Amino acid sequence: MASEEVARILKMALALEKKNHEDYLKSAKEAEIESIRKMFEFLADEEEKHIEMIREKMKVFGIDED
C-alpha cells in the first residue's frame, strides 16, 4: 500500500493530466487552422498516454482513482 503522500501526488498528477487533455481537445475543436488543430490533437493524445501511465502506477501502489 502506498503512503498517503504518494497517493496524493498521483491523484493530483492524474487530475492535472485529465484537465490538460480536456483543454487540448477544446483548443483543437476551436482551432481554425488545420495544423494548429492537429497539434492540439497530438497533445491531447500525449495526455491520454500520461493518464494511462499514472493509472498503471496507481494500480501498482493499490491506489483507487476516486
Side-chain angles (χ1 to χ4, degrees):
M1 188 58 124
S3 72
E4 288 182 30
E5 186 70 10
V6 171
R8 186 182 67 77
I9 290 168
L10 287 172
K11 287 180 181 184
M12 183 186 336
L14 183 61
L16 289 170
E17 295 292 343
K18 286 179 174 182
K19 172 76 167 89
N20 290 340
H21 180 258
E22 290 173 16
D23 289 345
Y24 288 142
L25 287 178
K26 182 178 183 252
S27 294
K29 185 177 178 182
E30 295 172 354
E32 295 179 12
I33 300 169
E34 182 179 358
S35 61
I36 301 297
R37 180 184 50 78
K38 286 184 177 186
M39 177 193 69
F40 283 122
E41 289 171 348
F42 170 81
L43 292 170
D45 289 344
E46 290 298 303
E47 294 302 309
E48 284 183 15
K49 293 175 189 174
H50 299 161
I51 290 167
E52 191 55 38
M53 287 172 32
I54 294 168
R55 284 179 172 152
E56 287 300 317
K57 288 295 178 193
M58 291 173 79
K59 286 180 190 175
V60 168
F61 287 107
I63 301 167
D64 292 328
E65 193 170 323
D66 292 341

